[in-house]
């Protein structure tokens, strides 16, 4: 049966692919948008990705404003969706803590409360580091009693974007439990382009890495041979999100959207370099050394790399059994991540405007 959904972050990279899949399946979506006047262009984009633009409507709203910036008419328009998909987030390295908290934490709490008031399921998109409990403890999160966490210290360690995503996760989980409202979380790894077309947006972290490789800015491989940057292709991520959102058994569950077959960083850079026709770095540089170098003024700009991005390169391996089970239950097939990487590199090489300059 066709469902009606409310979507935040619909204009973003994951949001576009989610909307393409939702509308292709016949579901309708109201988007909370800071710039609802851009809906026609977004409809066209979603149609190019295989969706149905006519099933999308928009209301003006802003995660950073009180009451989500929704006026009375907009509140009426967002009544009683079956599922609220919360993807909206301010993503940037070097964000001010106050700004990150207002949009990514307070905004997420406001979306959660709206979903609970409307009797809707909330599908919230977090991030894969939430499944790395050793890392969470090392950066100072109290996993038994998250409310005791000194979040300012966490923000200082991780940077405000990641800190705010982590805080949002724990606070929304508590709030939804208090409100006895259904919540499903999906935690994506770093998102790779579409597994066949390679479509990716230029501001994506992986597009930045590929741009650096293509531009000869990657002189060494961060970390050791055991380090990797776990990936998931955007089309498969959208399939997992939709499957989890409409599956009653997934209420209260957290899904790790991560392809365990992602090669180590060295292998990944070799594959990308081969596709781009450039040479791949062969020497490793220890992460602490790279972190120290990035503290030197001007170096992050020179290398087009920010220390905040280094936390995502780790040696930890993850248990994806629950994700495999969800995929099997819904007959979803993991695309080949190597092919998705190559398609992404080809897409970026053919669309130079998509590589950040
Ligand atoms: N991409 C990844 O590798 C990755 C990995 C793990 C988790 N995630 C998470 O997945 C979600 C989606 O990521 P993405 O890569 O698709 O992000 P994205 O391309 O940067 O898109 C962000 C979306 O959030 C919206 N947004 C930002 N600030 C807003 C505000 N104040 N009010 C309303 N909307 C606002 C943007 O809308 P505008 O059009 O108005 O800018 C845009 O639609 C985020 O929660 C992100 O943390 C992403």
């Amino acid at each position: 049966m066709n469902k009606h959904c409310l979507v935040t972050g619909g204009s973003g990279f994951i949001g576009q692919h989610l909307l393409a899949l939702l509308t292709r399946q016949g579901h309708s979506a109201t988007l909370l948008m800071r710039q609802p006047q851009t809906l026609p262009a977004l409809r066209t984009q979603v149609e190019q990705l295989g969706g149905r633009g006519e099933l999308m409507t928009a209301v003006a709203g802003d995660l950073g404003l009180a009451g989500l910036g929704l006026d009375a008419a907009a509140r009426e328009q967002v009544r009683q969706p079956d599922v609220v998909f919360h993807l909206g987030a301010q993503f940037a390295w070097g964000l001010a803590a106050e700004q990150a908290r207002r949009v990514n934490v307070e905004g997420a709490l406001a979306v959660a409360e709206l979903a609970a008031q409307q009797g809707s399921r909330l599908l919230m998109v977090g991030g894969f580091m939430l499944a790395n409990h050793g890392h969470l403890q090392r950066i100072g999160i109290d996993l038994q009693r998250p409310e005791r966490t000194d979040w300012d210290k966490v923000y200082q360690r991780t940077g405000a974007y990641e800190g705010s995503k982590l805080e949002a996760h724990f606070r929304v989980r508590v709030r939804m439990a208090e409100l006895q409202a259904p919540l499903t979380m999906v935690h994506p790894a770093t998102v790779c382009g579409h597994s066949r077309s390679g479509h990716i947006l230029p501001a994506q972290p992986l597009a930045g890495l590929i741009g650096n490789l293509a531009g000869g800015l990657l002189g060494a491989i961060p970390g050791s041979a055991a380090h990797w940057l776990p990936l998931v292709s955007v089309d498969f991520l959208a399939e997992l999100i939709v499957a989890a959102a409409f599956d009653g058994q997934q209420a209260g569950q957290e899904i790790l959207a991560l392809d365990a077959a992602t090669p180590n960083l060295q292998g990944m850079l070799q594959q990308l370099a081969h596709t781009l026709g450039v040479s791949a770095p062969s020497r490793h540089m220890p992460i602490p050394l790279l972190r120290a170098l990035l503290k030197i003024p001007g170096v992050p700009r020179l290398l087009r790399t920010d220390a905040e991005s280094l936390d995502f390169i780790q040696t930890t391996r993850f248990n994806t059994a629950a994700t495999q089970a969800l995929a099997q239950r819904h007959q979803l097939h993991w695309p080949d991540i190597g092919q998705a990487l190559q398609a992404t590199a080809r897409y970026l090489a053919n669309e130079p405007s998509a590589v950040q300059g």
Side-chain angles (χ1 to χ4, degrees):
M1 205 176 68
N2 294 342
K3 309 271 189 190
H4 183 64
C5 312
L6 174 64
V7 179
T8 74
S11 59
F13 177 46
I14 303 172
Q16 291 180 8
H17 286 269
L18 173 69
L19 286 166
L21 181 60
L22 279 173
T23 57
R24 189 159 68 238
Q25 292 182 352
H27 307 300
S28 58
T30 299
L31 318 187
L32 182 149
M33 296 182 85
R34 285 190 289 187
Q35 294 180 289
Q37 73 279 12
T38 60
L39 179 67
L42 182 58
R43 280 183 171 143
T44 305
Q45 169 67 359
V46 166
E47 280 163 11
Q48 278 166 4
L49 296 174
R52 293 172 55 191
E54 80 276 12
L55 293 178
M56 292 157 46
T57 52
V59 292
D62 189 323
L63 295 166
L65 297 179
L68 295 170
L70 297 170
D71 63 17
R75 288 214 155 256
E76 199 50 38
Q77 253 186 286
V78 301
R79 281 190 60 202
Q80 297 184 332
D82 295 291
V83 177
V84 175
F85 290 90
H86 179 48
L87 283 73
Q90 178 144 25
F91 165 65
W93 308 132
L95 273 182
E98 191 192 326
Q99 167 75 0
R101 187 169 269 137
R102 189 166 59 241
V103 175
N104 297 349
V105 182
E106 301 304 332
L109 284 165
V111 171
E113 282 165 14
L114 179 77
Q117 280 160 12
Q118 301 298 323
S120 313
R121 164 100 73 99
L122 175 64
L123 186 302
M124 175 155 153
V125 173
F128 79 104
M129 296 303 274
L130 282 154
N132 187 340
H133 292 178
H135 169 77
L136 297 181
Q137 281 165 329
R138 278 194 297 280
I139 60 173
I141 295 178
D142 185 333
L143 291 178
Q144 259 61 53
R145 306 278 302 273
E147 67 282 4
R148 288 190 179 172
T149 299
D150 181 341
W151 287 107
D152 290 335
K153 276 203 180 134
V154 174
Y155 280 43
Q156 281 162 21
R157 285 185 187 156
T158 62
Y161 164 72
E162 181 63 4
S164 63
K165 288 288 299 180
L166 301 174
E167 182 180 3
H169 165 85
F170 288 104
R171 291 197 45 204
V172 164
R173 214 170 58 175
V174 168
R175 193 74 190 111
M176 291 300 273
E178 284 166 358
L179 297 169
Q180 299 184 332
L183 168 68
T184 302
M185 303 239 188
V186 175
H187 298 312
T190 295
V191 184
C192 179
H194 188 281
S195 60
R196 291 183 303 282
S197 71
H199 174 258
I200 190 165
L201 296 187
Q204 287 296 303
L206 185 66
L209 180 73
I210 295 174
N212 281 355
L213 184 65
L217 291 169
L218 263 186
I221 308 156
S224 65
H227 280 81
W228 69 318
L229 179 67
L231 298 176
V232 61
S233 68
V234 71
D235 45 324
F236 192 67
L237 171 59
E239 289 189 12
L240 283 173
I241 293 175
V242 171
F246 298 138
D247 182 338
Q249 287 190 11
Q250 298 303 319
Q253 300 300 312
E254 297 188 20
I255 308 298
L256 181 57
L258 178 154
D259 194 327
T262 308
N264 69 2
L265 196 51
Q266 181 169 24
M268 178 174 136
L269 292 173
Q270 278 168 352
Q271 282 189 22
L272 289 169
H274 179 75
T275 308
L276 294 165
V278 298
S279 51
S282 54
R283 286 177 301 114
H284 286 277
M285 181 181 288
I287 300 266
L289 177 59
L290 191 50
R291 213 181 276 286
L293 276 178
L294 289 170
K295 283 196 180 134
I296 301 170
V299 173
R301 199 155 47 87
L302 195 69
L303 296 180
R304 285 199 277 178
T305 301
D306 198 288
E308 284 181 49
S309 64
L310 295 179
D311 270 346
F312 301 99
I313 299 171
Q314 296 247 345
T315 55
T316 310
R317 293 277 150 179
F318 296 83
N319 181 349
T320 54
T323 318
Q324 306 288 1
L326 176 70
Q328 206 167 11
R329 219 165 106 73
H330 291 268
Q331 299 177 327
L332 309 180
H333 301 289
W334 291 82
D336 184 293
I337 196 69
Q339 282 173 15
L341 263 174
Q342 287 166 25
T344 307
R346 272 197 302 275
Y347 178 86
L348 289 169
N350 292 333
E351 305 239 345
S353 61
V355 182
Q356 266 184 330

